[in-house]
Amino acid sequence: MIIASISYKGGVGKSTIAQNLAICFAKSGYKTCIVDADETQATVSWTGVRFEKGIEPPVQSIGMTDHKALVGNVKEQYKNYDIIIIDCPPSLSPIAVKAMYLSHLLLIPLTPRGGSDIWVTEKLLDKYSTIREEKEGGLPAYILINQFEPNLNLHRASLSIIEQLEEEFEVKRLKSVLNKRTAYGEANVRGMGVYEYEDRKAKKEIIALANEILKIGEGL
Ligand SMILES: Nc1ncnc2c1ncn2[C@@H]1O[C@H](COP(=O)(O)OP(=O)(O)OP(=O)(O)O)[C@@H](O)[C@H]1O
Ligand SMILES: [Mg+2]
């Protein structure tokens, strides 16, 4: 399965989610690789820290920022892996569009901080609708609520607006939600994911997310 972790908006958790899922998938025995399509190469740096520290399982990442080469290179790499996660840049750049064409499933992190997060997602979903129609077999897309703060009225209120997006663009929202937890950042700087870190709640929610995605993958 090829998954794109994608959003038009920066800082919503695309890389965090790609990294944490890659660890869960690798722990479950899937040969997993992250394609880092963002010029900043943050995920490549993260796997570098992981490698230097000898953290098991090692997570492979490959930097691919040339949009012309992306399709061929990912397809070639897919021969070696069960799951590829494409960590996209925060834009609708040509490479992000190619990633959508290539993927079997889109994962769209959304932080429910109000209008701007939601309207930016609308722009991405506009593009997604066009691509889905062109793609044989369609293209399932799932919104993933990230950095959720259940006590904030704004966050709760945003959920109902997101429901409208779901209806308008025929996308689904994952049952799994990732709450705002310092463990995500703390694990990241150590080359780790929350699966391997000390926050049990974070570990539980990332496992639930990984399992939900694997289940969706079975049906594709
Ligand atoms: N659930 C979470 N709880 C707390 N912090 C989080 C969570 N998810 C991500 N973060 C933090 O938010 C910041 C942005 O996350 P990340 O780099 O994954 O976003 P991104 O969408 O990949 O950003 P960019 O568009 O710049 O590539 C990071 O500091 C990360 O540690
Ligand atoms: Mg990123």
Side-chain angles (χ1 to χ4, degrees):
M1 167 166 58
I2 303 176
I3 302 169
S5 182
I6 190 161
S7 164
Y8 205 165
K9 186 144 177 116
V12 290
K14 297 177 290 298
S15 304
T16 303
I17 290 159
Q19 294 160 11
N20 278 280
L21 283 178
I23 292 171
C24 292
F25 295 152
K27 292 257 186 201
S28 302
Y30 294 93
K31 288 182 78 184
T32 307
C33 171
I34 307 176
V35 165
D36 190 346
D38 191 346
E39 295 281 350
T40 59
Q41 296 287 281
T43 290
V44 168
S45 302
W46 171 81
T47 48
V49 174
R50 199 173 168 83
F51 183 73
E52 274 165 25
K53 291 188 166 182
I55 303 172
E56 294 285 335
V59 175
Q60 295 296 326
S61 72
I62 307 173
M64 290 189 199
T65 53
D66 176 0
H67 73 92
K68 294 194 183 113
L70 185 83
V71 176
N73 287 347
V74 170
K75 282 189 175 163
E76 193 55 36
Q77 284 301 328
Y78 193 44
K79 293 175 187 161
N80 306 320
Y81 294 99
D82 303 313
I83 301 178
I84 288 185
I85 307 171
I86 308 177
D87 181 9
C88 292
S91 64
L92 265 184
S93 54
I95 203 153
V97 173
K98 290 261 172 70
M100 285 201 258
Y101 276 107
L102 254 178
S103 296
H104 303 119
L105 187 150
L106 303 186
L107 206 50
I108 305 169
L110 204 164
T111 302
R113 285 175 296 213
S116 81
D117 287 84
I118 293 165
W119 297 320
V120 168
T121 302
E122 225 170 354
K123 293 258 183 312
L124 176 84
L125 291 175
D126 266 335
K127 186 73 193 171
Y128 157 73
S129 302
T130 319
I131 294 174
R132 181 180 57 192
E133 274 167 33
E134 288 172 16
K135 262 188 87 154
E136 217 174 287
L139 175 59
Y142 290 84
I143 291 172
L144 168 59
I145 305 296
N146 186 32
Q147 301 184 34
F148 187 57
E149 295 177 78
N151 297 330
L152 288 187
N153 284 337
L154 171 64
H155 280 209
R156 289 201 306 274
S158 297
L159 290 183
S160 63
I161 308 177
I162 293 166
E163 259 171 39
Q164 293 166 23
L165 280 189
E166 292 169 49
E167 279 172 28
E168 188 181 344
F169 293 96
E170 291 171 46
V171 292
K172 293 190 181 124
R173 179 152 73 82
L174 289 170
K175 283 196 197 79
S176 308
V177 168
L178 303 184
N179 278 359
K180 184 169 183 167
R181 301 182 195 279
T182 50
Y184 285 97
E186 289 172 2
N188 173 271
V189 290
R190 292 168 171 79
M192 298 163 86
V194 293
Y195 188 103
E196 301 153 321
Y197 200 59
E198 57 202 28
D199 182 333
R200 283 203 203 144
K201 288 182 181 163
K203 179 172 178 174
K204 201 173 161 200
E205 73 187 7
I206 204 71
I207 292 173
L209 172 65
N211 287 339
E212 189 176 359
I213 292 171
L214 288 174
K215 190 106 193 127
I216 292 167
E218 284 168 15
L220 293 178

